[in-house]
Amino acid sequence: MTEELHWKTAITGVEPNKVRLRGYPIDQLMGKVSFSQAIYLALKGELPSPAVGRLLDAIFVSSVDHGAGPPSVLAARTVASTGAELHACIAAGVLAISRWHGGAIEEGMRLFQAIARLAAANKVSEEAAAADILAEMKTRGERASGFGHRVHTKDPRTQRLFALAEELGLAGPHVRIARTVEKIFRESMGRPLPINVDGAIAAVLCDLGIPAEIGNAFFIIARVPGLVAHIQEERTRMKPMRKIHPSDFEYDGPGEREA
Amino acid sequence: MTEELHWKTAITGVEPNKVRLRGYPIDQLMGKVSFSQAIYLALKGELPSPAVGRLLDAIFVSSVDHGAGPPSVLAARTVASTGAELHACIAAGVLAISRWHGGAIEEGMRLFQAIARLAAANKVSEEAAAADILAEMKTRGERASGFGHRVHTKDPRTQRLFALAEELGLAGPHVRIARTVEKIFRESMGRPLPINVDGAIAAVLCDLGIPAEIGNAFFIIARVPGLVAHIQEERTRMKPMRKIHPSDFEYDGPGEREA
Amino acid sequence: MTEELHWKTAITGVEPNKVRLRGYPIDQLMGKVSFSQAIYLALKGELPSPAVGRLLDAIFVSSVDHGAGPPSVLAARTVASTGAELHACIAAGVLAISRWHGGAIEEGMRLFQAIARLAAANKVSEEAAAADILAEMKTRGERASGFGHRVHTKDPRTQRLFALAEELGLAGPHVRIARTVEKIFRESMGRPLPINVDGAIAAVLCDLGIPAEIGNAFFIIARVPGLVAHIQEERTRMKPMRKIHPSDFEYDGPGEREA
Amino acid sequence: MTEELHWKTAITGVEPNKVRLRGYPIDQLMGKVSFSQAIYLALKGELPSPAVGRLLDAIFVSSVDHGAGPPSVLAARTVASTGAELHACIAAGVLAISRWHGGAIEEGMRLFQAIARLAAANKVSEEAAAADILAEMKTRGERASGFGHRVHTKDPRTQRLFALAEELGLAGPHVRIARTVEKIFRESMGRPLPINVDGAIAAVLCDLGIPAEIGNAFFIIARVPGLVAHIQEERTRMKPMRKIHPSDFEYDGPGEREA
């Protein structure tokens, strides 16, 4: 074999008794940084401040689970009901996180970034740039991802995420642009289209410098634990091969309580 | 349709403008609990103490990434190199986390639990119970999962995880049993078989009351972000359809640094 | 790199302008052998007779699709409804072909082979061996895979497959054993448990010399085209993100017609 | 629940002891039509002639396996080496059939259809339409899918497939267009770009009336059996967790033989 296949990677260096993530010995990170900080380090290459870690924690917490109805949960439960192993059930759930389910984060990020770029390029206000882009999208029959929700008219998770971003000093131009877009919808349309949790996450991830093409990864990372909870419930509480109704279910867990 | 398909779930309740995970409004959890605490809440049904949250953080941090060589990374990169979407690459990586890769956590948990049960049932010491079970396994030609490593003879992550568990007052009988097993190997065999990071995680998860059948989920949850980092590097740094050598690669990221 | 990774494969040899499957130039196979014969060649290493090809055709035809209710179809449609790409939808469907769905073929094969082995080893009749093994299974609370069906009390596909196997001179000891098992159930139980299509396929595959561990592969190979038909119907006829009821659907295609 | 979820499907009707694919009782199809004909019936809704069945057989045979190097094989083997179950290995392989691997069929179909449409719309020759579209693609820096190959300069499978299509009277305008494109490449470029097997399949599928969006399905359907052969070889011949070299392997199966 003379074919040259040698390649390089900048993520993790491994030597006997040493594993270094982006240069940091993993055993030194353990106990010092949170899982969320380590995720950022893996993806961006630099260790984030504890403040960024806390904001990421809030993002991941916001998306751990949204109930039994989303297609990712139904796909994972359907596979679990056939007696498949854990990893197969998780993989099926992840495959259902796609354009129409979870995809709003990446699309929202691209929208906010496009508005920021246009405002900078044309030296106009973000509001003018946003109005232009939204008008164009309307012409093409496209709707803005990250706004409006079938169930939640005023998503409490959006409010909380933006409040935290402000508190931690991490709200930047993209959070501002997201609010501008919401304002344009409210003022120029009969029906308001409030920022939903996907739109809020999109704005905050942009301000944290995450590239749009891995925006959906944050949703997938957050949701895998929720999928595991559903898979485990399916296995331990339900009969194999039951017919899984996609909406006729009720919550029978603990009543409302305070953290 | 008269078929009765109504079903119940105890994970998340959803009403307009309210999403409650195990009874806790998610917007109230945001900013108050870490991602790791929310994962435990989703899986176990109760909010863990901050100490448990910190120990879980250490577990997840320890397993975010172990370099480019594991099959999950190679499977994810192979799929990424064909131009597939993010979720397909992640799913392929997750499918490679199976019996021989990541599976040691669940098997280690079952071993430690079996020793604890036998000691209690027979009213013998944990050491005697462990010796019995290991002798039986030897007869059947089985090896103990969670001990020994091809590369790391003294895994610094094991030391760190056990030290943290002690510090936080969370090391219990299963950590003790893991050390007993290690001692038996050391004393009765020429070549020592130190607890590896999978074995250490197994012991700690047992002490945290996690059921063995979702033990591997902790590895999968931890590793998905690492897979995303590799997928993103494959997409942005490598040529499509390259031949991915499974071991002839080198790390060219930042030099060793301190957290 | 001095690590020796060179390896060997006996499936397909590739040289410039030559692709040979198990030694046969693929371009020479094209037009001469059927897809089913090529599948057997790939899996077993030898080209089967046209008669075997016809019997395999019947097996694959029998399992192309069984309607919209099976979990593999629901998983594939659920993923399709999120806007995912074709390969992701197929993969999710394949992941749902597991222990309780499709798994009966492998388990049935193991049962028939166990009976054949016991009869040979103990020099007893197949009926005596079958009665022994079924009695043991009853004691352990196990049920025999490949017998009985929730919907079909007399599966016409079973009759047809066995008739074809006889006609083609390919019915052997395992088909005979399957019938023996059915007879034991009928005579010793109030409720008859007829051989279902999975059990019939299991018996025929044993007689064709297929190893049990790839028995389920025949079901997966047969079913992938059916999954594609459902994915395509979901994409072209249904709204994205619809709630997919697992049983409240009706067939509105062409009325009964003759081949 | 008053939500109306009733839905309709035109693929398979199921009643007790009756399963009808597109109206045909499956037990009547068994023994009468080939697997390839049943695949066409499932996907297109009508039973094809035996001639179409034979041409489809040739397409599927041509793509059953192309050796151990393609990413789908490497992904499936990588997952198999971790001890995963058959369906998980197959799913990982299917996930690797994507844009750069297998995707040429769908893209080729779209190219040939675009040329046919342009020729009809502008009432120009297919050659003129093809030249126009190829010139535009060149301007945009796009390359035509289905032409050229790294290893095979004169793909014998292409010749065979087109010869069969002619023989069976099934070669139509899209096969002609494919040849026209090849001719333009040959005459206007230094280096010839012969039609490869993906391009040939694309042309024939267009002439058979298959929609482009399921073009890749034919490759996936054909390749699943090949993946199973590799998975089975990996499991039975190789050590678990071996490092799988992506190109340093050799064929050691039967020598060249005639069908």
Side-chain angles (χ1 to χ4, degrees), chain B residues 186-206:
Chain B
R186 190 176 53 238
E187 293 178 357
S188 69
M189 298 174 66
R191 198 170 59 98
L193 275 178
I195 308 171
N196 60 33
V197 68
D198 292 335
I201 292 173
V204 171
L205 289 179
C206 286

Side-chain angles (χ1 to χ4, degrees), chain A residues 31-83:
Chain A
K32 234 182 227 166
V33 308
S34 68
F35 183 26
S36 292
Q37 286 175 288
I39 293 170
Y40 185 98
L41 173 62
L43 295 177
K44 285 278 292 177
E46 294 301 326
L47 205 49
S49 68
V52 168
R54 285 198 58 209
L55 193 55
L56 287 171
D57 267 324
I59 287 177
F60 290 128
V61 169
S62 78
S63 299
V64 156
D65 194 54
H66 295 171
S72 54
V73 171
L74 294 167
R77 281 184 177 265
T78 298
V79 173
S81 80
T82 69

Side-chain angles (χ1 to χ4, degrees), chain C residues 206-218:
Chain C
C206 286
D207 282 339
L208 292 178
I210 301 295
E213 68 263 31
I214 56 168
N216 289 351
F218 285 79

Side-chain angles (χ1 to χ4, degrees), chain B residues 92-135:
Chain B
V94 167
L95 290 172
I97 300 178
S98 184
R99 188 170 177 207
W100 304 111
H101 170 37
I105 293 176
E106 181 177 335
E107 289 182 31
M109 290 176 78
R110 294 196 189 282
L111 172 63
F112 301 146
Q113 290 172 347
I115 293 171
R117 268 197 312 272
L118 187 68
N122 290 3
K123 292 182 186 159
V124 297
S125 71
E126 286 162 355
E127 188 155 354
D132 265 20
I133 285 180
L134 293 173

Side-chain angles (χ1 to χ4, degrees), chain C residues 33-44:
Chain C
V33 309
S34 69
F35 184 26
S36 292
Q37 285 175 289
I39 294 171
Y40 184 98
L41 173 62
L43 294 177
K44 286 278 293 177

